[in-house]
Amino acid sequence: MAKVAVLGYGTVGSGVVEVLEKNRGLIEKRAGECLEVKYILDLREFPGDPYEDKVIHDVNVILEDPEVQIVCETMGGNEPAFTFSKKALEAGKSVCTSNKELVANHGAELIALAKAHRCNYLFEASVGGGIPIIRPLNNALTAERVEEISGILNGTTNYILTKMEKEGTDFSEALKKAQELGYAERNPEADVEGYDACRKIAILSCLMTGKTVDFKEVYTEGITKITPADFSYAAKMNRTIKLLAMSALDGADGGGEPGCLAAVAPYLVSKDNPLAGVNDVFNAVFVQSNMLGESMYYGKGAGKLPTASAVVADVVDCAKHAGRHIVCLWDEEKLHLEDFGRAKSRFFVRAEAAKEEEITAVFGAVEKISLNELPAEFGFVTEVMSEAEFAQKHEAVSGIITRIRVKD
Ligand code: HSE
């Protein structure tokens, strides 16, 4: 029997306990042994909870108990999660986590520590909630050179954008609902400003390249400026708006230092694109690799049980590999990130009707998109150009209300 400790009895932590209990029989068969929660670490008491007697407040009880082989870190945030994870790994206990902040900040270091102590640091739940994406990248696609990863990596913002599109819901009302459903981060800024998706695409970029991508260098734009009017224009163009995260190998063949071009931003997506059909809390990840071509991973990207299920899958993997390290290529060496100014796309622009002449002088003869309800403005889509080129043109004119990139 393998004893498990859960650090943090919040949404995901309590989900881990629930999944281990509900699927106990089949998990035992698949792990080859019974997995039992011995401790739950939390600052709070949980009177009346069926696991109340397992709740403790001192992490050292777990660290010093040789019976505990696997630790689920579902606390979130950097500290004390980082210190607790390090100490657990140093004690030879495998750690399974849903904590993308910690993985994005210290993934390589924690994997190296796990290797040195013949245990594992697994983080399937840190990207895409319940969707298997880390394990496919490390196992199923291990014979592939992965060249590009893109998709919808944040359930909260996808839920909000879906509500705004389908029900005309106001941004803050949709956010409140997402929080009630347990999708959002403690600080919703991480979701709506794109920081959460940014950490996730950084983690995937690390697995794609085997090096460390500093997520703070990834160009990141959230959804807080998206309005119902933007959705009206999108509908007129047979498009919708999605927060996309993207990362592609870049510069490898150009003689320069091989690097990666990564970004998170809202995009106008054609209704014909499969990503347009990814709604609510669902996430979808496209992987482009050199032998298989394109593959897609789809499912619930947030929420208690989907996320907990991914943590428990890692727990089972740890039980099956007791005393053995599962190879995960992710070194501490820093990966060169290309300047986002080089990234190319078309741009949808909303501009004041009174400035049409000025706009045309800079952007050329544009095809106007007009909405009856907004007579004082018009929209248009530019030709493909780099971010830097667009920024120059934007500077050169007045009257631009907003712009959203177009996904071709
Ligand atoms: N807040 C995150 C999201 C939770 O909405 O995707 C899952 O990582």
Side-chain angles (χ1 to χ4, degrees):
M1 179 187 293
K3 303 274 184 184
V4 177
V6 177
L7 312 186
Y9 201 39
T11 305
V12 182
S14 59
V16 166
V17 176
E18 193 175 329
V19 171
L20 280 168
E21 180 54 39
K22 278 203 172 136
N23 287 345
R24 170 185 284 273
L26 62 91
I27 287 172
E28 179 174 346
K29 280 190 203 138
R30 289 173 188 166
E33 61 184 320
C34 175
L35 301 178
E36 193 189 285
V37 176
K38 183 163 184 185
Y39 303 111
I40 296 167
L41 182 82
D42 205 287
L43 290 171
R44 300 161 292 179
E45 300 289 349
F46 294 89
D49 186 281
Y51 296 91
E52 159 179 28
D53 58 323
K54 297 188 191 278
V55 175
I56 58 164
H57 309 295
D58 179 4
V59 74
N60 292 312
V61 174
I62 294 168
L63 298 172
E64 287 161 15
D65 185 338
E67 259 197 345
V68 174
Q69 292 169 23
I70 303 162
V71 172
C72 299
E73 185 273 292
T74 49
M75 310 173 75
N78 267 306
E79 283 296 355
F82 182 41
T83 303
F84 291 177
S85 299
K86 270 203 299 194
K87 287 189 171 166
L89 294 169
E90 280 162 358
K93 301 178 195 303
S94 287
V95 176
C96 307
T97 188
S98 54
N99 186 343
K100 49 256 153 150
E101 198 176 335
L102 185 56
V103 177
N105 269 308
H106 296 287
E109 184 183 343
L110 292 168
I111 290 165
L113 202 56
K115 187 177 177 190
H117 292 273
R118 292 163 65 91
C119 54
N120 288 291
Y121 184 66
L122 301 185
F123 45 93
E124 181 62 68
S126 67
V127 181
I131 310 177
I133 180 62
I134 306 291
R135 198 167 279 104
L137 285 173
N138 281 340
N139 293 344
L141 301 180
T142 199
E144 298 281 322
R145 171 184 147 97
V146 175
E147 293 162 342
E148 189 173 338
I149 302 179
S150 61
I152 295 169
L153 292 181
N154 183 269
T156 302
T157 47
N158 205 44
Y159 180 87
I160 292 171
L161 292 173
T162 305
K163 283 239 167 250
M164 287 177 80
E165 185 201 11
K166 308 250 185 259
E167 296 168 27
T169 313
D170 158 64
F171 173 85
S172 48
E173 196 187 317
L175 170 62
K176 205 167 143 241
K177 188 83 183 128
Q179 286 175 307
E180 278 165 23
L181 291 168
Y183 302 152
E185 296 302 305
R186 270 179 300 189
N187 173 4
E189 202 190 0
D191 292 303
V192 297
E193 295 294 356
Y195 308 145
D196 178 76
C198 164
R199 291 184 185 115
K200 290 168 177 168
I201 196 67
I203 293 169
L204 297 181
S205 305
C206 296
L207 296 176
M208 176 169 74
T209 61
K211 296 184 184 174
T212 291
V213 170
D214 183 349
F215 67 88
K216 295 183 275 315
E217 291 177 3
V218 174
Y219 176 84
T220 302
E221 202 178 298
I223 63 161
T224 52
K225 296 196 183 94
I226 303 295
T227 64
D230 296 327
F231 275 105
S232 301
Y233 277 108
K236 194 141 193 196
M237 292 185 275
N238 197 31
R239 289 181 178 269
T240 186
I241 302 169
K242 294 290 181 191
L243 182 70
L244 302 186
M246 293 180 276
S247 179
L249 297 184
D250 192 82
D253 303 324
E257 190 190 343
C260 190
L261 192 54
V264 173
Y267 277 78
L268 278 158
V269 174
S270 163
K271 286 275 171 78
D272 299 329
N273 187 315
L275 289 175
V278 177
N279 287 320
D280 296 317
V281 74
F282 283 81
N283 284 192
V285 190
F286 279 107
V287 176
Q288 177 68 42
S289 58
N290 68 341
M291 297 291 140
L292 171 64
E294 199 168 73
S295 52
M296 184 176 172
Y297 307 83
Y298 169 81
K300 280 194 180 156
K304 175 175 169 168
L305 293 177
T307 310
S309 168
V311 176
V312 175
D314 281 346
V315 172
V316 171
D317 228 3
C318 289
K320 280 160 60 177
H321 292 87
R324 276 189 297 146
H325 178 69
I326 304 165
V327 174
C328 175
L329 289 183
W330 176 355
D331 291 339
E332 288 191 62
E333 185 189 342
K334 197 174 164 193
L335 183 85
H336 167 69
L337 269 191
E338 297 294 334
D339 175 9
F340 187 60
R342 288 185 43 209
K344 289 189 170 173
S345 69
R346 295 192 294 151
F347 295 81
F348 164 70
V349 180
R350 281 172 59 193
E352 291 167 23
K355 300 289 165 59
E356 188 178 338
E357 229 174 272
E358 211 183 306
I359 298 278
T360 314
V362 172
F363 286 94
V366 295
E367 197 176 317
K368 284 200 294 178
I369 306 158
S370 301
L371 295 178
N372 291 339
E373 64 270 32
L374 295 171
E377 63 172 80
F378 67 101
F380 67 94
V381 176
T382 69
E383 292 175 348
V384 174
M385 62 181 75
S386 70
E387 292 283 332
E389 252 177 288
F390 180 79
Q392 252 179 9
K393 288 184 192 290
H394 192 315
E395 281 260 297
V397 288
S398 58
I400 290 185
I401 300 165
T402 188
R403 60 95 184 89
I404 305 172
R405 294 168 187 88
V406 176
K407 171 92 179 132
D408 282 316

